[in-house]
Amino acid sequence: MKKLLQEVILERPLLGDGAMGTQLMIAGLAQGNCGEAWNLSHPEKVLAIQRRYAEAGSECIITNTFGGSRIMLNRHSNADHVAEINKAGVAIARQAFGDREGYVLGDIGPFGGLMVPFGEFTEAQVQSAFEEQAAALVEGGADAIIIETQTSLEELLIGINAAKAAGAKCVIGSMAYDVTLDGSTFRTMMGVDPERAAEFMEEHGANIVALNCGTGMEMERARMAVERYKSATGLPVMVQPNAGKPRLENMKVVYDESPEQMVKGLLPLLQSGVNIVGACCGSTPDHIRAFRPVIDEFIRSGGIQSNGAQA
Ligand SMILES: [Zn+2]
């Protein structure tokens, strides 16, 4: 039987995938359009991106369902297709692995607003949107659910509970940190630091503590976050840093970190005990391909034992 994701990562670190949003833009998705709808309208384009990640060596692929909650899809008048879009997202990611046994991580991104009293959405609305999305991802056969790019513990908790209620085999909570102006530390937009996030996730039954995206959170900062997570929890850790800082060039957002630059930070990250490493915005299949041999060599050299894996 296939091992659970949270078990296999205690034996060796796994390689995640890279960006989806920026890759969809390259494939022709117009800024502001609904990328998740492509799971139904252009599945071959989504598959082509994920296949490139699988071919580059990814062992975990995140579904193209970041904005696949009812609240997000409603902005594009796609709220009638929540279940189909999410199930198709899982099927496409699974297909990308071909005959290989990979892990499909069903993606739940932020619902994209604020809850009362700060915003217009009630907690019950967000809960029902996440529960509906999580149920579709689990029914579609996802190996895990990742609640990602989170900045508030309140929303994260709704996501964790929704994933658990849906019967997810593995629940990953992934926070987006920003480096503070003086550069001394990092926390989420809502003021959550990694230690607090890790304790909170462990307390509420997540299986893997993660970070993705954020501002200024490059490979070295991700390594620091792994250490801070590990100081606060015994749970495995996943990181997906961006390919550098976004900047505007001819009205387009570009990311500057090349695969060669990014891969320089990978060995220290592995040595810090990270359990899954992928990349976020601006990264490409070339970034993931550059990661593969470093992880392979790390495993061959027995690095994982000196990491205190609990397998
Ligand atoms: Zn990102």
Side-chain angles (χ1 to χ4, degrees), residues 66 108-115 130 147-157 173-178 187-194 196-197 200-201 210-215 229:
F66 178 86
I108 297 181
F111 77 91
L114 293 170
M115 283 183 279
F130 281 177
I147 302 122
E148 63 141 307
T149 322
Q150 290 297 321
T151 57
S152 93
L153 296 179
E154 292 76 18
E155 188 176 340
L156 173 72
L157 179 59
S174 189
M175 308 302 284
Y177 299 105
D178 303 325
R187 58 177 83 97
T188 72
M189 192 173 65
M190 306 301 275
V192 182
D193 65 29
R196 176 75 190 114
F200 185 86
M201 283 191 240
L211 74 86
N212 71 287
C213 223
T215 309
Y229 273 161

Side-chain angles (χ1 to χ4, degrees), residues 82-101:
V82 174
E84 289 160 86
I85 285 174
N86 283 282
K87 283 183 191 174
V90 176
I92 295 166
R94 182 74 67 203
Q95 203 184 338
F97 283 120
D99 298 335
R100 276 171 51 208
E101 181 185 83

Side-chain angles (χ1 to χ4, degrees), residues 112-131:
L114 293 170
M115 283 183 279
V116 285
F118 306 106
E120 54 184 307
F121 293 92
T122 64
E123 197 179 311
Q125 282 175 305
V126 178
Q127 184 186 335
S128 101
F130 281 177
E131 282 176 354

